[in-house]
PDB file of all heavy atoms in Angstrom:
ATOM      1  N   LEU H  10      94.689 129.417  86.583  1.00 98.00           N
ATOM      2  CA  LEU H  10      94.742 130.009  87.932  1.00 98.00           C
ATOM      3  C   LEU H  10      95.247 131.449  87.905  1.00 98.00           C
ATOM      4  O   LEU H  10      94.764 132.308  88.648  1.00 98.00           O
ATOM      5  CB  LEU H  10      95.674 129.178  88.811  1.00 98.00           C
ATOM      6  CG  LEU H  10      95.028 128.143  89.708  1.00 98.00           C
ATOM      7  CD1 LEU H  10      96.082 127.236  90.302  1.00 98.00           C
ATOM      8  CD2 LEU H  10      94.240 128.846  90.824  1.00 98.00           C
ATOM      9  N   ARG H  11      96.239 131.701  87.051  1.00 98.00           N
ATOM     10  CA  ARG H  11      96.761 133.065  86.940  1.00 98.00           C
ATOM     11  C   ARG H  11      95.656 134.041  86.555  1.00 98.00           C
ATOM     12  O   ARG H  11      95.513 135.106  87.148  1.00 98.00           O
ATOM     13  CB  ARG H  11      97.874 133.144  85.883  1.00 98.00           C
ATOM     14  CG  ARG H  11      99.200 132.677  86.391  1.00 98.00           C
ATOM     15  CD  ARG H  11     100.333 132.986  85.410  1.00 98.00           C
ATOM     16  NE  ARG H  11     101.524 132.320  85.893  1.00 98.00           N
ATOM     17  CZ  ARG H  11     102.004 131.174  85.408  1.00 98.00           C
ATOM     18  NH1 ARG H  11     101.426 130.598  84.366  1.00 98.00           N
ATOM     19  NH2 ARG H  11     103.056 130.622  85.953  1.00 98.00           N
ATOM     20  N   ASN H  12      94.875 133.662  85.536  1.00 98.00           N
ATOM     21  CA  ASN H  12      93.782 134.532  85.083  1.00 98.00           C
ATOM     22  C   ASN H  12      92.785 134.780  86.198  1.00 98.00           C
ATOM     23  O   ASN H  12      92.371 135.914  86.437  1.00 98.00           O
ATOM     24  CB  ASN H  12      93.056 133.906  83.885  1.00 98.00           C
ATOM     25  CG  ASN H  12      93.911 133.982  82.644  1.00 98.00           C
ATOM     26  OD1 ASN H  12      94.808 134.823  82.560  1.00 98.00           O
ATOM     27  ND2 ASN H  12      93.668 133.101  81.687  1.00 98.00           N
ATOM     28  N   LEU H  14      93.214 134.509  89.490  1.00 98.00           N
ATOM     29  CA  LEU H  14      93.768 135.270  90.618  1.00 98.00           C
ATOM     30  C   LEU H  14      94.014 136.723  90.233  1.00 98.00           C
ATOM     31  O   LEU H  14      93.838 137.629  91.048  1.00 98.00           O
ATOM     32  CB  LEU H  14      95.054 134.605  91.114  1.00 98.00           C
ATOM     33  CG  LEU H  14      94.810 133.304  91.893  1.00 98.00           C
ATOM     34  CD1 LEU H  14      96.050 132.430  91.902  1.00 98.00           C
ATOM     35  CD2 LEU H  14      94.351 133.610  93.318  1.00 98.00           C
ATOM     36  N   LYS H  15      94.407 136.929  88.988  1.00 98.00           N
ATOM     37  CA  LYS H  15      94.636 138.300  88.509  1.00 98.00           C
ATOM     38  C   LYS H  15      93.316 139.065  88.565  1.00 98.00           C
ATOM     39  O   LYS H  15      93.247 140.203  89.032  1.00 98.00           O
ATOM     40  CB  LYS H  15      95.165 138.255  87.071  1.00 98.00           C
ATOM     41  CG  LYS H  15      96.040 139.440  86.717  1.00 98.00           C
ATOM     42  CD  LYS H  15      96.576 139.348  85.313  1.00 98.00           C
ATOM     43  CE  LYS H  15      97.844 138.546  85.208  1.00 98.00           C
ATOM     44  NZ  LYS H  15      98.358 138.430  83.831  1.00 98.00           N
ATOM     45  N   GLN H  16      92.261 138.406  88.113  1.00 98.00           N
ATOM     46  CA  GLN H  16      90.921 138.991  88.109  1.00 98.00           C
ATOM     47  C   GLN H  16      90.493 139.303  89.550  1.00 98.00           C
ATOM     48  O   GLN H  16      90.046 140.414  89.851  1.00 98.00           O
ATOM     49  CB  GLN H  16      89.965 137.986  87.439  1.00 98.00           C
ATOM     50  CG  GLN H  16      88.494 138.215  87.704  1.00 98.00           C
ATOM     51  CD  GLN H  16      87.953 139.388  86.890  1.00 98.00           C
ATOM     52  OE1 GLN H  16      88.671 139.938  86.037  1.00 98.00           O
ATOM     53  NE2 GLN H  16      86.727 139.797  87.153  1.00 98.00           N
ATOM     54  N   ARG H  18      92.293 139.785  92.205  1.00 98.00           N
ATOM     55  CA  ARG H  18      93.085 140.854  92.818  1.00 98.00           C
ATOM     56  C   ARG H  18      92.727 142.222  92.228  1.00 98.00           C
ATOM     57  O   ARG H  18      92.785 143.238  92.928  1.00 98.00           O
ATOM     58  CB  ARG H  18      94.577 140.561  92.617  1.00 98.00           C
ATOM     59  CG  ARG H  18      95.484 141.332  93.541  1.00 98.00           C
ATOM     60  CD  ARG H  18      96.940 141.002  93.322  1.00 98.00           C
ATOM     61  NE  ARG H  18      97.392 141.335  91.981  1.00 98.00           N
ATOM     62  CZ  ARG H  18      98.627 141.143  91.528  1.00 98.00           C
ATOM     63  NH1 ARG H  18      99.529 140.589  92.317  1.00 98.00           N
ATOM     64  NH2 ARG H  18      98.964 141.466  90.311  1.00 98.00           N
ATOM     65  N   SER H  57      97.616 146.266  90.554  1.00 97.00           N
ATOM     66  CA  SER H  57      96.884 145.729  91.702  1.00 97.00           C
ATOM     67  C   SER H  57      97.761 144.973  92.702  1.00 97.00           C
ATOM     68  O   SER H  57      97.262 144.344  93.628  1.00 97.00           O
ATOM     69  CB  SER H  57      95.764 144.818  91.207  1.00 97.00           C
ATOM     70  OG  SER H  57      96.301 143.748  90.465  1.00 97.00           O
ATOM     71  N   PRO H 123     106.756 139.299  94.782  1.00 98.00           N
ATOM     72  CA  PRO H 123     105.347 139.412  94.417  1.00 98.00           C
ATOM     73  C   PRO H 123     104.841 138.082  93.875  1.00 98.00           C
ATOM     74  O   PRO H 123     105.607 137.122  93.759  1.00 98.00           O
ATOM     75  CB  PRO H 123     105.385 140.458  93.301  1.00 98.00           C
ATOM     76  CG  PRO H 123     106.681 140.175  92.590  1.00 98.00           C
ATOM     77  CD  PRO H 123     107.644 139.680  93.656  1.00 98.00           C
ATOM     78  N   GLY H 124     103.587 138.022  93.518  1.00 98.00           N
ATOM     79  CA  GLY H 124     103.058 136.804  92.915  1.00 98.00           C
ATOM     80  C   GLY H 124     101.563 136.937  92.753  1.00 98.00           C
ATOM     81  O   GLY H 124     100.969 137.912  93.209  1.00 98.00           O
ATOM     82  N   LEU H 125     100.973 135.946  92.090  1.00 98.00           N
ATOM     83  CA  LEU H 125      99.517 135.971  91.921  1.00 98.00           C
ATOM     84  C   LEU H 125      98.833 135.096  92.955  1.00 98.00           C
ATOM     85  O   LEU H 125      97.786 135.442  93.465  1.00 98.00           O
ATOM     86  CB  LEU H 125      99.153 135.518  90.501  1.00 98.00           C
ATOM     87  CG  LEU H 125      99.489 136.538  89.416  1.00 98.00           C
ATOM     88  CD1 LEU H 125      99.355 135.932  88.026  1.00 98.00           C
ATOM     89  CD2 LEU H 125      98.584 137.769  89.542  1.00 98.00           C
ATOM     90  N   GLY H 126      99.448 133.944  93.258  1.00 98.00           N
ATOM     91  CA  GLY H 126      98.855 133.040  94.232  1.00 98.00           C
ATOM     92  C   GLY H 126      99.903 132.441  95.148  1.00 98.00           C
ATOM     93  O   GLY H 126     101.074 132.312  94.760  1.00 98.00           O
ATOM     94  N   PHE H 127      99.484 132.112  96.361  1.00 98.00           N
ATOM     95  CA  PHE H 127     100.393 131.500  97.335  1.00 98.00           C
ATOM     96  C   PHE H 127      99.620 130.459  98.135  1.00 98.00           C
ATOM     97  O   PHE H 127      98.405 130.568  98.284  1.00 98.00           O
ATOM     98  CB  PHE H 127     100.920 132.564  98.313  1.00 98.00           C
ATOM     99  CG  PHE H 127     101.749 133.643  97.661  1.00 98.00           C
ATOM    100  CD1 PHE H 127     101.143 134.782  97.142  1.00 98.00           C
ATOM    101  CD2 PHE H 127     103.129 133.515  97.554  1.00 98.00           C
ATOM    102  CE1 PHE H 127     101.897 135.788  96.528  1.00 98.00           C
ATOM    103  CE2 PHE H 127     103.890 134.510  96.944  1.00 98.00           C
ATOM    104  CZ  PHE H 127     103.278 135.648  96.440  1.00 98.00           C
ATOM    105  N   ARG H 133     104.360 129.249  95.442  1.00 98.00           N
ATOM    106  CA  ARG H 133     104.069 130.531  94.790  1.00 98.00           C
ATOM    107  C   ARG H 133     103.718 130.329  93.326  1.00 98.00           C
ATOM    108  O   ARG H 133     104.360 129.537  92.638  1.00 98.00           O
ATOM    109  CB  ARG H 133     105.308 131.436  94.889  1.00 98.00           C
ATOM    110  CG  ARG H 133     105.288 132.646  93.991  1.00 98.00           C
ATOM    111  CD  ARG H 133     106.561 133.463  94.100  1.00 98.00           C
ATOM    112  NE  ARG H 133     106.503 134.575  93.169  1.00 98.00           N
ATOM    113  CZ  ARG H 133     106.895 134.527  91.896  1.00 98.00           C
ATOM    114  NH1 ARG H 133     107.423 133.418  91.409  1.00 98.00           N
ATOM    115  NH2 ARG H 133     106.775 135.589  91.130  1.00 98.00           N
ATOM    116  N   LEU H 134     102.713 131.081  92.896  1.00 98.00           N
ATOM    117  CA  LEU H 134     102.405 131.155  91.460  1.00 98.00           C
ATOM    118  C   LEU H 134     102.690 132.585  91.033  1.00 98.00           C
ATOM    119  O   LEU H 134     102.077 133.528  91.529  1.00 98.00           O
ATOM    120  CB  LEU H 134     100.932 130.811  91.201  1.00 98.00           C
ATOM    121  CG  LEU H 134     100.484 130.872  89.741  1.00 98.00           C
ATOM    122  CD1 LEU H 134     101.054 129.706  88.930  1.00 98.00           C
ATOM    123  CD2 LEU H 134      98.957 130.868  89.634  1.00 98.00           C
ATOM    124  N   GLY H 135     103.646 132.741  90.126  1.00 98.00           N
ATOM    125  CA  GLY H 135     104.020 134.080  89.670  1.00 98.00           C
ATOM    126  C   GLY H 135     103.354 134.421  88.360  1.00 98.00           C
ATOM    127  O   GLY H 135     102.261 133.945  88.057  1.00 98.00           O
ATOM    128  N   TYR H 136     104.047 135.211  87.571  1.00 97.00           N
ATOM    129  CA  TYR H 136     103.433 135.732  86.352  1.00 97.00           C
ATOM    130  C   TYR H 136     103.716 134.878  85.126  1.00 97.00           C
ATOM    131  O   TYR H 136     103.296 135.207  84.033  1.00 97.00           O
ATOM    132  CB  TYR H 136     103.880 137.177  86.150  1.00 97.00           C
ATOM    133  CG  TYR H 136     103.419 138.052  87.298  1.00 97.00           C
ATOM    134  CD1 TYR H 136     104.262 138.364  88.350  1.00 97.00           C
ATOM    135  CD2 TYR H 136     102.102 138.507  87.342  1.00 97.00           C
ATOM    136  CE1 TYR H 136     103.826 139.130  89.416  1.00 97.00           C
ATOM    137  CE2 TYR H 136     101.656 139.273  88.401  1.00 97.00           C
ATOM    138  CZ  TYR H 136     102.521 139.583  89.436  1.00 97.00           C
ATOM    139  OH  TYR H 136     102.075 140.322  90.491  1.00 97.00           O
ATOM    140  N   GLY H 137     104.459 133.812  85.305  1.00 97.00           N
ATOM    141  CA  GLY H 137     104.549 132.830  84.235  1.00 97.00           C
ATOM    142  C   GLY H 137     105.813 132.834  83.394  1.00 97.00           C
ATOM    143  O   GLY H 137     105.859 132.190  82.347  1.00 97.00           O
ATOM    144  N   ALA H 157     101.288 139.235  99.881  1.00 98.00           N
ATOM    145  CA  ALA H 157     100.047 139.030  99.132  1.00 98.00           C
ATOM    146  C   ALA H 157      98.846 139.432  99.967  1.00 98.00           C
ATOM    147  O   ALA H 157      98.941 139.499 101.195  1.00 98.00           O
ATOM    148  CB  ALA H 157      99.909 137.562  98.757  1.00 98.00           C
ATOM    149  N   PHE H 158      97.746 139.675  99.285  1.00 98.00           N
ATOM    150  CA  PHE H 158      96.489 139.878  99.996  1.00 98.00           C
ATOM    151  C   PHE H 158      95.926 138.494 100.327  1.00 98.00           C
ATOM    152  O   PHE H 158      96.185 137.528  99.615  1.00 98.00           O
ATOM    153  CB  PHE H 158      95.506 140.678  99.136  1.00 98.00           C
ATOM    154  CG  PHE H 158      96.070 142.004  98.691  1.00 98.00           C
ATOM    155  CD1 PHE H 158      96.158 142.327  97.346  1.00 98.00           C
ATOM    156  CD2 PHE H 158      96.542 142.909  99.637  1.00 98.00           C
ATOM    157  CE1 PHE H 158      96.697 143.545  96.938  1.00 98.00           C
ATOM    158  CE2 PHE H 158      97.084 144.126  99.235  1.00 98.00           C
ATOM    159  CZ  PHE H 158      97.163 144.453  97.887  1.00 98.00           C
ATOM    160  N   LEU H 160      93.174 137.248  99.825  1.00 98.00           N
ATOM    161  CA  LEU H 160      92.396 136.663  98.726  1.00 98.00           C
ATOM    162  C   LEU H 160      93.262 135.930  97.698  1.00 98.00           C
ATOM    163  O   LEU H 160      92.753 135.231  96.825  1.00 98.00           O
ATOM    164  CB  LEU H 160      91.558 137.744  98.032  1.00 98.00           C
ATOM    165  CG  LEU H 160      92.246 138.964  97.410  1.00 98.00           C
ATOM    166  CD1 LEU H 160      92.697 138.686  95.987  1.00 98.00           C
ATOM    167  CD2 LEU H 160      91.332 140.161  97.464  1.00 98.00           C
ATOM    168  N   GLN H 161      94.588 136.060  97.824  1.00 98.00           N
ATOM    169  CA  GLN H 161      95.498 135.354  96.917  1.00 98.00           C
ATOM    170  C   GLN H 161      95.980 134.029  97.514  1.00 98.00           C
ATOM    171  O   GLN H 161      96.737 133.308  96.863  1.00 98.00           O
ATOM    172  CB  GLN H 161      96.723 136.222  96.625  1.00 98.00           C
ATOM    173  CG  GLN H 161      96.414 137.517  95.896  1.00 98.00           C
ATOM    174  CD  GLN H 161      97.659 138.383  95.804  1.00 98.00           C
ATOM    175  OE1 GLN H 161      97.786 139.376  96.512  1.00 98.00           O
ATOM    176  NE2 GLN H 161      98.590 137.993  94.958  1.00 98.00           N
ATOM    177  N   ILE H 162      95.569 133.741  98.737  1.00 98.00           N
ATOM    178  CA  ILE H 162      95.971 132.472  99.353  1.00 98.00           C
ATOM    179  C   ILE H 162      95.004 131.382  98.903  1.00 98.00           C
ATOM    180  O   ILE H 162      93.787 131.515  99.054  1.00 98.00           O
ATOM    181  CB  ILE H 162      95.962 132.568 100.909  1.00 98.00           C
ATOM    182  CG1 ILE H 162      96.808 133.745 101.394  1.00 98.00           C
ATOM    183  CG2 ILE H 162      96.416 131.248 101.530  1.00 98.00           C
ATOM    184  CD1 ILE H 162      98.297 133.594 101.201  1.00 98.00           C
ATOM    185  N   VAL H 163      95.556 130.335  98.309  1.00 98.00           N
ATOM    186  CA  VAL H 163      94.721 129.236  97.808  1.00 98.00           C
ATOM    187  C   VAL H 163      95.111 127.925  98.501  1.00 98.00           C
ATOM    188  O   VAL H 163      96.183 127.826  99.098  1.00 98.00           O
ATOM    189  CB  VAL H 163      94.866 129.090  96.266  1.00 98.00           C
ATOM    190  CG1 VAL H 163      94.315 130.303  95.541  1.00 98.00           C
ATOM    191  CG2 VAL H 163      96.324 128.863  95.871  1.00 98.00           C
TER     192      VAL H 163
END
Side-chain angles (χ1 to χ4, degrees):
L10 263 169
R11 279 190 189 101
N12 287 338
L14 286 158
K15 208 178 274 179
Q16 162 76 7
R18 198 179 62 180
S57 60
L125 288 169
F127 297 88
R133 166 182 177 272
L134 179 72
Y136 298 98
F158 304 123
L160 58 86
Q161 296 173 255
I162 306 291
V163 294

